[in-house]
Amino acid sequence: MKKGILKGTGILLLLAPVLIFAQSHFEEAVKTKLVTASGKNVFSGKITDKATSKPLAGVSVYFNDLKTGAVTDAEGNFSVNNIPSGKHLVEISYVGYGTISEYVEFNNDVKKDYSLSLAVIENDAVIVTGVSSATQLKKSPVAVSLIRKQDLFNGVAPNLIEALTKKGGIATVSTGPAIAKPVIRGLGYNRVVVLNDGVRQEGQQWGDEHGIEIDELSVTKVEILKGPSSLIYGSDAMAGVINIITNSPIANNTIKGNLFSNYQTNNRLRSYYGNIAGNTNGFNWNLYGTYKAAADYKNKYDGYVLNSKFKDRNFGGYVGYNGGWGFSHLIFSRFNQTLGIVEGNRDDDGYFVKPVAGGGEVRGTDADFKSINPLVPFQDITHTKYVSDNSFNIGKSRLTAVIGFQENQRTEHGNADDPSAANLSFDLKTVTENIQFHFPEKNNWRTSIGASGMQQNNTNKGEERLIPNYDLTDEGVFIFSKKQIDKLTLSGGVRFDTRTVNGRKTMEGSDEKFASFSKSFSNLSGSVGLSYEANKNVLFRFNLARGYRAPSLPELSSNGEHKGTNRYEYGNLNLKSETSFQADAGMEVNNEHISVQLNLYDNNVNNFIFYQKLASVNGGDSLVGNATAFKFEQRKANLAGIELNLDIHPHPLDWLHFENTFSYVSGRFSEAVDGTKNMPLIPPARLISQLRGDFLKKGKLIRNFSISGELDNTFKQNRPFTAFNTETATKGYTLVNAGINAELMNKSKTICSISFNVMNLTDVAYQNHLSRLKYTAENLVTGRTGVFNMGRNFSVKVNIPLEFKLKS
């Protein structure tokens, strides 16, 4: 108790200057009494093509912090109402053209015209991840990658997270085409925070076979922050943040929609998506729905992989109002997925087998492979979410409040005699709050203070228990500030967090499976960094950050067999928080012929948590039933790496791009574990080289036509975590991909967008190092261990936009 009092006193002393600073600025904001006048400003102007001076229709003019904007009409004119007084960051973007972003000062109406140039690179976009308010990408001291809806449409991937791996430093731990967990710079699982519409996604992400419960077809934009971001997000953001944005208001007095369909040949994937959104005098809304299903995928070594099928049925949207006082939006979504779990068992002749009622196994049939209904074992996941997203203008200051509730219901079924019976069933309820006060800019300082929290409750409802029932409370406070000094931008801050976990006594039948316990963790985190624009072509970045992660519930207290891993896992209540200190350095060079982005990082992690095999008192491995026993332990570790992007676009051949993305990370323990210093789940080096031609950016019948060819080179990983036979080395491979994309036009309106792609054109049989299917059983006929990844896959996508203009 005394230790807790001393710690609390220290935190109050630390925050005292922050509170005094906040109070003085809040009083100043209130005294200005600008609330009634602040919502009456209008931002208007005209946007033209810089080369031809002709107006551009359909250009987006958007204020990310205010969540309001407009689209230019046929004459290139735009008008945005209800802009509060103060400085606000506007982003002007149009497909095929370079983005413009800048701060605009509002004390009265502002009229300003812009000219856009055809895009060569994207370096002036606006981001909202890792900062307290929207900022220009080039002002960020850490590496942030952007993926827009158009990028997702033009590519092909089995799921959303796999699509992100085209960016340097991003990999996935996968279990077939439906389950992929993000890995950033060699760190994954609970070390990566996934946000969706401002709320951290909470859905049992600690499990190997647990994916991300977000409808990928509803995504409008993804921001990937690479590096510790505990300053803004608290625990678990040690590796970075993936911010998935779904709902954004459309222009006023407009109704817009989309009809989308995709078919992929390898696993007969078919997906259908539709949405409709409207905005009438500030009242805005969006509704969407998705149906996606796939049969078993195939490759030339395994043929069809039994039970790799899945089905998604999702819907969501939001309703809200934007006015002079700010905005208030209510967001809702329901994600439902049923997916098979690939076990990889085969008979003596090398054919996949499935369990049947009454015991025993039989070969999978052609009907099994082509069906979209998963066999036993399978998972059924329903993730429901409600979010209240609010922003209130207080003079030139702004108060934001994002409050979310989500419920993750996950069941795992493995009984062939009664497939409806749930062996494992988790019901996880989570409430999150994020309150921030943004002070007006003063002497080029932009400062925010905030408090965020999370309350969580998990209940077991199945026959088996892997983790106990538990309650979790997490609270944190922070201050973040940014200073502009000519070409130099300085930013940073400090944060304090505390987390309490209470494991409840949990029974399995008539036996006590888990005793009650209580654990508390607290940490101080922060960062300081800079970005320096040496000139219009050269940019430098540098950042120092301290991140942390409290141990997850399974790491503390699991006691059960983790299905599909052949591990019986024991938790460790003596685990400490992981902490990290990372240095990032980056450079960008852009000119009319070449663009280069280089990022270097070094990350020292204390108390890195991993599982370690237990030895039997009689010698050999400790076994529980047929599963090997493991217990979570900790070691000091280091990760260091490089990310390089080189885009050659020789002028005047601006239509030609030869883009190369290389990433490499090394992960090492300070002391050997069972004879190896290599860390687990470190992705191998990767080089993606794409040759692309962009044509007809102003075409009347066909616009934004592109054709590309790509070599995706993954190098061998000969430094695996060999301790306890956890990992094996993995051979390198090269995949050939290609694509054609275009928009069909009727005058200045898009009739539809079409994307035709092929992945793995040469049908290479390969195993990704982070694929969990790599460790399924040996095929006794071929002598190959595990299941291989997807073979050749053709994809056709069609998107039909709909738009209706309403009378003012």
Side-chain angles (χ1 to χ4, degrees):
M1 177 68 72
K2 183 177 180 182
K3 182 178 179 181
I5 293 173
L6 291 174
K7 183 179 292 185
T9 303
I11 297 306
L12 288 175
L13 291 174
L14 175 67
L15 293 177
V18 177
L19 298 174
I20 295 172
F21 176 82
Q23 180 184 12
S24 63
H25 279 71
F26 183 81
E27 290 175 351
E28 180 181 344
V30 173
K31 288 178 181 178
T32 59
K33 297 182 180 179
L34 290 172
V35 177
T36 56
S38 65
K40 302 301 182 182
N41 301 312
V42 177
F43 183 49
S44 61
K46 185 174 184 177
I47 300 177
T48 57
D49 183 299
K50 189 171 184 178
T52 65
S53 297
K54 292 183 177 180
L56 292 175
V59 180
S60 171
V61 180
Y62 193 68
F63 293 86
N64 279 270
D65 283 339
L66 307 178
K67 293 192 176 178
T68 189
V71 174
T72 56
D73 60 20
E75 302 301 320
N77 297 313
F78 68 89
S79 180
V80 186
N81 300 323
N82 293 325
I83 306 296
S85 295
K87 264 191 178 182
H88 303 290
L89 182 60
V90 64
E91 181 180 33
I92 300 169
S93 59
Y94 189 49
V95 175
Y97 285 75
T99 298
I100 293 176
S101 63
E102 67 174 8
Y103 284 97
V104 180
E105 178 82 36
F106 289 90
N107 290 308
N108 295 291
D109 294 348
V110 173
K111 186 173 183 178
K112 193 168 185 179
D113 299 334
Y114 295 91
S115 296
L116 299 183
S117 301
L118 293 177
V120 177
I121 56 168
E122 178 74 279
N123 67 345
D124 204 24
V126 173
I127 60 170
V128 297
T129 308
V131 290
S132 59
S133 58
T135 192
Q136 293 164 296
L137 177 61
K138 60 187 177 183
K139 305 293 186 183
S140 171
V142 296
V144 179
S145 296
L146 294 181
I147 297 180
R148 300 186 186 275
K149 193 177 187 71
Q150 190 68 34
D151 301 322
L152 295 172
F153 180 81
N154 289 346
V156 57
N159 54 67
L160 172 62
I161 303 302
E162 289 284 356
L164 307 184
T165 63
K166 295 294 184 180
K167 298 296 183 180
I170 311 301
T172 63
V173 175
S174 65
T175 311
I179 302 174
K181 305 174 72 65
V183 175
I184 299 179
R185 293 178 170 178
L187 296 175
Y189 293 82
N190 283 55
R191 301 175 182 92
V192 176
V193 165
V194 176
L195 301 175
N196 185 209
D197 288 323
V199 173
R200 57 185 291 160
Q201 190 79 5
E202 288 292 324
Q204 312 285 8
Q205 59 264 37
W206 46 268
D208 289 295
E209 70 280 13
H210 300 169
I212 304 299
E213 304 90 352
I214 296 173
D215 183 357
E216 64 179 274
L217 299 182
S218 68
V219 175
T220 59
K221 181 181 177 182
V222 182
E223 298 179 358
I224 308 170
L225 185 150
K226 293 175 282 189
S229 192
S230 294
L231 167 60
I232 300 296
Y233 303 106
S235 178
D236 303 348
M238 280 186 60
V241 178
I242 295 178
N243 186 11
I244 300 171
I245 300 168
T246 299
N247 294 290
S248 298
I250 63 173
N252 194 29
N253 297 320
T254 303
I255 293 179
K256 296 180 68 174
N258 287 278
L259 296 175
F260 169 89
S261 180
N262 176 215
Y263 182 77
Q264 297 183 18
T265 59
N266 185 284
N267 57 352
R268 299 177 176 86
L269 180 145
R270 71 297 308 253
S271 57
Y272 309 96
Y273 169 82
N275 90 294
I276 187 75
N279 191 339
T280 306
N281 298 322
F283 176 74
N284 49 90
W285 50 272
N286 178 40
L287 291 172
Y288 66 83
T290 294
Y291 176 81
K292 180 180 178 182
D296 293 335
Y297 80 87
K298 63 181 178 179
N299 61 65
K300 70 178 183 181
Y301 281 174
D302 299 309
Y304 285 101
V305 177
L306 185 65
N307 213 25
S308 57
K309 56 185 96 274
F310 63 92
K311 290 192 296 186
D312 291 0
R313 290 151 294 188
N314 313 316
F315 69 89
Y318 86 97
V319 61
Y321 183 80
N322 289 53
W325 50 269
F327 65 81
S328 182
H329 298 160
L330 177 63
I331 303 168
F332 60 94
S333 65
R334 184 181 185 273
F335 174 94
N336 176 256
Q337 184 178 67
T338 306
L339 66 153
I341 297 176
V342 178
E343 294 190 306
N345 297 326
R346 310 177 208 235
D347 61 20
D348 292 341
D349 296 321
Y351 292 94
F352 286 112
V353 294
K354 62 178 182 178
V356 293
E361 297 174 327
V362 299
R363 289 180 181 176
T365 66
D366 189 59
D368 291 329
F369 296 133
K370 293 181 179 180
S371 171
I372 60 174
N373 298 310
L375 307 171
V376 172
F378 67 92
Q379 295 185 56
D380 188 81
I381 304 106
T382 299
H383 193 96
T384 307
K385 181 163 50 183
Y386 299 94
V387 179
S388 177
D389 184 11
N390 309 276
S391 179
F392 305 100
N393 303 320
I394 304 174
K396 293 187 176 182
S397 301
R398 190 164 53 91
L399 176 68
T400 60
V402 182
I403 301 171
F405 169 79
Q406 52 192 312
E407 181 177 18
N408 185 275
Q409 297 168 301
R410 178 184 300 273
T411 58
E412 297 184 7
H413 305 256
N415 186 349
D417 293 317
D418 184 7
S420 63
N423 299 86
L424 288 172
S425 178
F426 304 105
D427 189 353
L428 178 68
K429 297 181 177 69
T430 305
V431 176
T432 56
E433 318 92 28
N434 189 346
I435 314 297
Q436 297 184 23
F437 188 82
H438 308 274
F439 299 101
E441 180 176 314
K442 189 173 183 179
N443 298 325
N444 290 324
W445 281 99
R446 302 181 71 87
T447 302
S448 301
I449 60 172
S452 59
M454 178 172 67
Q455 295 78 46
Q456 204 166 72
N457 169 271
N458 187 78
T459 303
N460 287 283
K461 295 184 176 181
E463 298 175 358
E464 301 174 10
R465 304 289 192 266
L466 178 60
I467 59 174
N469 300 333
Y470 72 88
D471 300 296
L472 180 150
T473 301
D474 190 295
E475 302 294 340
V477 293
F478 73 90
I479 180 172
F480 179 88
S481 193
K482 181 173 68 173
K483 170 72 171 180
Q484 184 74 35
I485 308 174
D486 195 20
K487 298 179 179 180
L488 177 68
T489 303
L490 301 172
S491 60
V494 65
R495 178 186 180 106
F496 176 77
D497 285 273
T498 180
R499 172 174 289 188
T500 300
V501 181
N502 294 309
R504 289 178 272 135
K505 178 181 176 180
T506 305
M507 307 295 290
E508 188 172 84
S510 58
D511 300 324
E512 180 182 294
K513 185 69 176 287
F514 300 94
S516 61
F517 71 90
S518 181
K519 297 287 292 185
S520 294
F521 306 91
S522 58
N523 273 279
L524 188 68
S525 55
S527 70
V528 59
L530 61 87
S531 67
Y532 178 68
E533 297 178 77
N535 53 55
K536 67 177 183 178
N537 295 325
V538 180
L539 173 70
F540 295 97
R541 291 188 172 97
F542 182 74
N543 193 70
L544 297 173
R546 185 180 192 271
Y548 90 96
R549 179 180 77 93
S552 68
L553 234 295
E555 292 165 342
L556 289 170
S557 61
S558 59
N559 180 10
E561 183 178 354
H562 209 151
K563 299 293 184 182
T565 65
N566 199 35
R567 296 195 308 263
Y568 193 101
E569 296 179 358
Y570 289 104
N572 184 349
L573 286 174
N574 296 318
L575 293 177
K576 301 177 182 178
S577 293
E578 292 181 346
T579 58
S580 68
F581 184 79
Q582 179 164 314
D584 283 87
M587 178 186 70
E588 292 185 19
V589 178
N590 301 299
N591 60 41
E592 61 181 358
H593 302 296
I594 192 171
S595 301
V596 181
Q597 295 182 12
L598 173 66
N599 294 301
L600 303 170
Y601 59 91
D602 185 84
N603 189 7
N604 289 290
V605 182
N606 290 315
N607 303 318
F608 181 86
I609 300 172
F610 64 101
Y611 48 79
Q612 177 172 297
K613 186 184 290 186
L614 293 180
S616 170
V617 293
N618 298 319
D621 296 336
S622 176
L623 299 177
V624 182
N626 294 321
T628 305
F630 285 80
K631 187 176 182 179
F632 289 98
E633 295 293 344
Q634 296 185 295
R635 288 285 192 282
K636 186 176 181 179
N638 173 265
L639 298 104
I642 180 174
E643 296 150 8
L644 175 65
N645 181 271
L646 171 64
D647 187 353
I648 301 172
H649 40 80
H651 185 74
L653 305 178
D654 296 329
W655 54 268
L656 179 64
H657 286 260
F658 181 47
E659 186 173 1
N660 301 271
T661 301
F662 175 76
S663 57
Y664 169 78
V665 57
S666 170
R668 303 276 286 172
F669 287 116
S670 60
E671 299 177 2
V673 178
D674 194 33
T676 181
K677 287 190 174 183
N678 299 324
M679 292 177 64
L681 297 174
I682 299 298
R686 189 180 184 193
L687 172 63
I688 303 175
S689 298
Q690 183 189 76
L691 185 65
R692 186 182 79 250
D694 296 328
F695 308 97
L696 302 174
K697 290 191 175 182
K698 304 176 184 178
K700 295 183 179 180
L701 297 178
I702 299 177
R703 182 174 295 179
N704 293 319
F705 177 83
S706 69
I707 183 169
S708 63
E710 180 181 272
L711 292 179
D712 187 343
N713 306 280
T714 299
F715 296 83
K716 64 181 179 181
Q717 178 55 286
N718 55 7
R719 300 177 69 180
F721 180 62
T722 56
F724 327 121
N725 298 317
T726 302
E727 292 181 5
T728 58
T730 307
K731 296 179 180 179
Y733 52 88
T734 298
L735 306 182
V736 179
N737 308 317
I740 299 174
N741 305 283
E743 295 178 28
L744 302 183
M745 308 296 296
N746 180 14
K747 296 181 180 179
S748 62
K749 291 187 177 181
T750 300
I751 300 174
C752 69
S753 299
I754 300 175
S755 176
F756 176 76
N757 286 269
V758 56
M759 182 178 68
N760 194 4
L761 178 63
T762 56
D763 201 24
V764 171
Y766 70 99
Q767 289 178 318
N768 186 288
H769 183 68
L770 300 187
S771 170
R772 292 181 59 247
L773 300 186
K774 178 174 178 277
Y775 300 101
T776 56
E778 178 186 357
N779 185 333
L780 297 177
V781 175
T782 65
R784 301 186 184 101
T785 299
V787 172
F788 285 70
N789 288 74
M790 187 179 289
R792 183 187 298 114
N793 186 24
F794 291 92
S795 169
V796 179
K797 298 178 183 178
V798 178
N799 186 73
I800 302 173
L802 306 170
E803 182 172 355
F804 307 94
K805 196 71 178 178
L806 303 177
K807 292 183 179 180
S808 301

